[in-house]
Amino acid sequence: MGRGRLLGGCAWLLGGLALLQTLYLRALPPPAPPRRPSKPLPPPRGVLDASGTFRLYRDVLGPPPRRWAPPPDLVLATHGTPGRAAAALGGALEGGRWGGPLSVAVFGVPRAGLGQLLRVLGGPCRGLRGRLRLHVVLGAAEPPPTVTPPSRGPAAPGGCRGALGRVAAADPPSYTLGVPYPGNLLRNVAWAGAAGQDMGGGHGGPGPPGPMGGRFVLLLDADVVPSRGLREGFLRALRGGGPPLWGDGGDPIALGGPPSLQASDGLKGVPNALDHPRGFGVLGEHRGLNAPEVPNRLGSPNDVLGVPTFFHDPGVPNALEVPNALEVPNVLRDPNILKDLNVPEVPNALEVPNVLRDPNILKDPNVLEDPNILQDPNAPAPTRPPWTQVVFVLPAFEVRLGTPVPGTKAELQRLWGTGDARPFYGALCPRCQAPTDYGRWWALPPAPHLRVAYEAPWRDPWEPFYVGPAHGVPPFDERFLQYGFNRISQACELHVAGFRFAVLDGAFVVHSGFKEAAGFHGGRGAEQHRNRLLFRRFRSELRRRYPRSPRRC
């Protein structure tokens, strides 16, 4: 009897345990289905470049976020082979050197390196995708790049920077790819991406420029990195939340922009330096364009100021000195009006008190009743705000290979003193960076913030690195392939188009490794010769492209 009860109790206990186990198993979440390998994204659509030789694939990682680089902002644009692009991304990550948006154009040769870079950007470096626009250029007959969606995957040794470093280490030497490197095409693609454009190879063009607080672009080669704090200092000035970009005590409308952009030490005493061509005489001096000691005056084709022709159209004499010249048609037709301005008693129309106070001056019946007043064939075309034709030059240096890349001017100066830093291309082409005027830059007093130190006149064969407005800058000529005259030609066109070069203090760019003749590829001489002939043709084309510009290069 007692034994039966015991067995019955055990049976009830086992049944209860089975019930509890059933309830527990039912409460568990369903097992996850086996993970399938990520399928490649649909192949991106490419467009042919102007020559029909290359095909461009924009935003291969997907469209940028809606709020990508909202203006005002400064976007870093760069280009290179897969390995050099990986090195550029790694350099931007190093020490937080660049925390802003990037636009990178990659030449997809070697193809294996391109695949490795895209896998890294979908794996350990997928965190970069939120601020990176990646574009790929391939031969026209090549298949499109294969892009996989981002996935967590196994951890890579060294994280993102380690993975980028391995891609960079596998890259072949420069200009030894077996196909011509389209450097200027890649520069245009990177710039267009930084400017927010979706199609086309160029950047800028005839469209209207954006506001002063809009987007700016810093275009660098992949083996050149910016100094620390460059973006933050530039944006502080643009947003008006920090010290003025143009230094202390200068003209607040020197660039025609907001009051935060004020003239620096190099522009003191030069009122309206960038609104008026007088500011481009001798830096720091205020000389009238008609002063006897200035031989190249407004009418001269060799105008030292390089003022675009619309400032001294033969149909608008002294247009800059007669503020109402364009509003009163008879001003330009009166043969005595220009003589009156030069008599000793009336040195300038603005100094005659009755000129602007005469109540009848705006009642001239010919002013508003002339049906052709808005169709004057001699009237100059509307001009852009003056700041849209300024680029901000960054002094460029190279440091000995293996030397830590300096982040501040003080660090750079120490390397300069030990011989471990020198001007970029200091041994190969000193003239290519000489207009930056390194001696003047080093002699500047310490500044607590990024500022414009002085303006530098263009001289051949300058090839500066610069920050420029995202829209309105002439594109690079894509006919220049491989080595030679690719950046020189674009700086030349900037000059002819009327741009001015303002050198920044408190920021610079650095190339890791000294440039030496022995380190170049074997075909460099032949490439330079071909591009030199092309450059001569390019310069003659500029005269036709800018027929009213007095500037030459």
Side-chain angles (χ1 to χ4, degrees):
M1 184 78 179
R3 186 176 179 183
R5 289 181 177 177
L6 179 63
L7 292 173
C10 289
W12 279 103
L13 179 62
L14 291 174
L17 290 174
L19 178 63
L20 289 174
Q21 184 179 23
T22 302
L23 294 174
Y24 171 75
L25 292 175
R26 286 184 177 181
L28 291 176
R35 178 176 293 181
R36 297 177 180 178
S38 299
K39 291 184 179 180
L41 296 174
R45 297 180 61 185
V47 295
L48 288 173
D49 75 323
S51 71
T53 307
F54 302 99
R55 195 175 296 274
L56 323 179
Y57 299 88
R58 295 187 177 277
D59 291 318
V60 296
L61 301 180
R66 183 182 297 273
R67 294 289 293 167
W68 185 84
D73 210 337
L74 176 60
V75 183
L76 175 59
T78 189
H79 66 98
T81 54
R84 277 161 177 73
L89 291 172
L93 293 174
E94 181 183 1
R97 187 177 292 271
W98 189 268
L102 304 105
S103 176
V104 181
V106 181
F107 188 48
V109 180
R111 192 63 185 250
L114 175 63
Q116 189 179 1
L117 175 63
L118 293 175
R119 287 191 295 273
V120 166
L121 291 174
C125 294
R126 61 189 179 279
L128 280 175
R129 296 167 74 110
R131 60 188 178 104
L132 170 65
R133 297 187 72 175
L134 188 76
H135 322 285
V136 174
V137 174
L138 292 168
E142 292 289 318
T146 302
V147 184
T148 56
S151 60
R152 188 173 299 275
C160 175
R161 286 186 56 195
L164 291 172
R166 287 187 288 277
V167 178
D171 209 47
S174 298
Y175 304 111
T176 60
L177 303 175
V179 292
Y181 183 77
N184 278 359
L185 170 62
L186 291 160
R187 290 182 176 98
N188 287 341
V189 170
W191 188 294
Q197 299 176 6
D198 297 321
M199 298 298 292
H203 57 277
M212 185 60 192
R215 187 176 294 160
F216 286 77
V217 179
L218 167 60
L219 178 65
L220 299 178
D221 295 341
D223 51 4
V224 177
V225 297
S227 57
R228 284 196 303 269
L230 188 160
R231 175 175 175 269
E232 292 74 15
F234 196 86
L235 291 182
R236 215 169 19 243
L238 287 183
R239 290 170 177 154
L245 181 64
W246 287 87
D248 304 320
D251 178 11
I253 58 171
L255 275 177
S260 63
L261 300 182
Q262 297 180 355
S264 71
D265 300 343
L267 296 178
K268 287 181 180 178
V270 188
N272 297 331
L274 298 183
D275 283 338
H276 195 290
R278 292 182 185 178
F280 234 110
V282 178
L283 294 174
E285 295 185 21
H286 178 58
R287 296 187 179 184
L289 290 175
N290 293 320
E293 67 271 22
V294 183
N296 295 322
R297 292 178 284 187
L298 281 177
S300 169
N302 297 319
D303 181 8
V304 69
L305 306 180
V307 182
T309 308
F310 54 73
F311 280 144
H312 40 110
D313 191 312
V316 189
N318 292 332
L320 292 179
E321 299 180 10
V322 186
N324 294 324
L326 299 183
E327 300 173 14
V328 185
N330 291 334
V331 169
L332 300 181
R333 297 171 186 166
D334 185 348
N336 297 320
I337 187 70
L338 297 180
K339 297 177 183 178
D340 292 343
L341 295 179
N342 293 323
V343 297
E345 294 80 10
V346 190
N348 192 309
L350 295 179
E351 298 177 12
V352 183
N354 292 329
V355 169
L356 299 180
R357 297 177 189 172
D358 184 352
N360 297 319
I361 192 165
L362 296 180
K363 297 180 181 179
D364 185 344
N366 294 325
V367 174
L368 300 180
E369 296 176 8
D370 184 354
N372 297 321
I373 189 167
L374 298 179
Q375 301 175 6
D376 184 356
N378 293 323
T383 60
R384 296 177 174 183
W387 66 262
T388 63
Q389 290 197 304
V390 176
V391 294
F392 301 95
V393 176
L394 295 158
F397 297 86
E398 55 189 35
V399 298
R400 195 181 303 278
L401 194 63
T403 302
V405 176
T408 65
K409 190 173 182 177
E411 295 173 5
L412 177 65
Q413 197 159 21
R414 284 194 292 271
L415 294 177
W416 183 276
T418 60
D420 293 317
R422 66 188 186 191
F424 186 61
Y425 264 60
L428 283 177
C429 182
R431 294 172 57 233
C432 292
Q433 297 295 327
T436 304
D437 199 346
Y438 289 91
R440 183 173 184 177
W441 192 77
W442 281 120
L444 293 170
H449 54 78
L450 184 120
R451 60 168 185 161
V452 166
Y454 51 89
E455 292 186 38
W458 175 89
R459 296 198 311 271
D460 185 50
W462 199 12
E463 49 177 13
F465 294 102
Y466 59 82
V467 172
H471 301 279
V473 175
F476 291 80
D477 191 301
E478 297 172 2
R479 294 172 296 176
F480 289 91
L481 302 173
Q482 285 287 97
Y483 182 86
F485 294 91
N486 39 36
R487 288 194 302 114
I488 289 175
S489 58
Q490 200 257 357
C492 165
E493 183 167 0
L494 282 172
H495 167 68
V496 174
F499 278 77
R500 325 171 78 132
F501 300 86
V503 180
L504 289 178
D505 184 29
F508 52 90
V509 297
V510 180
H511 176 272
S512 182
F514 284 166
K515 290 277 191 180
E516 305 284 359
F520 277 88
H521 57 293
R524 172 172 169 259
E527 294 162 5
Q528 270 193 310
H529 176 70
R530 173 195 171 275
N531 284 339
R532 183 179 291 108
L533 298 178
L534 175 59
F535 182 62
R536 292 171 184 169
R537 188 162 76 247
F538 171 82
R539 287 190 301 186
S540 65
E541 293 169 357
L542 288 183
R543 289 194 287 272
R544 296 190 294 272
R545 195 178 305 164
Y546 301 92
R548 304 182 68 188
S549 175
R551 299 183 175 189
R552 296 291 180 264
C553 69

